[in-house]
Amino acid sequence: MINSKRLIELARKWQKIETIKRRRISFPRRAASQNSSVANKGHFVVYTTDEKRFTVPLEYLSRNVFIELLRMSEEEFGLPSFGPITLPCDSIFLNYVMSLIKGRMPEELEKVLLNFLPTSHFSASTSLGLAQSHQLTFIYSY
């Protein structure tokens, strides 16, 4: 049988351990990395006009389509000093462009897309050809 003094000592020790555990702030790794404002290694972050966030591989910077989108972003929104880069298109259009690049877009299609970029405003309806009849619709499958 444990004497009463020893029992009180153990109870105080357990209380100290519990208070130390409560003071610790720990975040699960997955939750912290999903909400991070920093991109993974080899990627950069851009936002679209409808405020959707995209993590883009750095390899895409060698593509003329992304170079043109970034140039247009600079013209329309200026160079951000501390804020995020916002591209002058909506998320549907950027998803489409990224899927084309991921699927190894042919040079002919990239040239057509580059000719289309300066003359259009990028919303979901115009990039899909729904707003005006003279808008160009890009459909490419691989």
Side-chain angles (χ1 to χ4, degrees):
M1 183 155 192
I2 300 176
N3 77 27
S4 60
K5 286 184 180 181
R6 179 72 177 142
L7 191 58
I8 293 172
E9 286 176 14
L10 286 174
R12 285 184 183 153
K13 184 177 180 181
W14 289 336
Q15 284 178 342
K16 285 181 184 179
I17 291 172
E18 285 302 313
T19 57
I20 289 172
K21 284 182 185 178
R22 279 188 235 138
R23 287 185 201 158
R24 289 185 191 158
I25 298 174
S26 62
F27 296 104
R29 283 189 169 265
R30 274 187 273 157
S33 64
Q34 289 173 350
N35 296 328
S36 175
S37 61
V38 178
N40 293 335
K41 186 174 183 178
H43 293 76
F44 66 101
V45 174
V46 295
Y47 287 83
T48 56
T49 53
D50 54 355
E51 299 178 2
K52 301 284 183 182
R53 175 189 161 116
F54 286 85
T55 305
V56 182
L58 288 175
E59 300 113 32
Y60 287 14
L61 288 175
S62 65
R63 300 304 297 243
N64 291 331
V65 174
F66 261 90
I67 293 170
E68 184 64 22
L69 282 172
L70 289 169
R71 188 191 62 72
M72 291 172 65
S73 172
E74 180 184 359
E75 286 177 5
E76 190 166 331
F77 304 115
L79 289 174
S81 56
F82 294 106
I85 298 172
T86 302
L87 296 180
C89 61
D90 68 355
S91 59
I92 295 171
F93 184 81
L94 190 57
N95 264 330
Y96 183 67
V97 169
M98 288 178 65
S99 68
L100 288 175
I101 293 173
K102 197 179 294 184
R104 307 214 187 265
M105 178 173 35
E107 284 184 35
E108 303 85 36
L109 182 62
E110 188 172 11
K111 288 177 185 176
V112 170
L113 192 57
L114 282 170
N115 289 332
F116 174 70
L117 287 177
T119 62
S120 62
H121 295 280
F122 305 106
S123 67
S125 59
T126 58
S127 64
L128 295 175
L130 301 174
Q132 298 175 357
S133 60
H134 69 278
Q135 292 291 334
L136 181 59
T137 302
F138 293 107
I139 299 175
Y140 174 72
S141 63
Y142 43 91

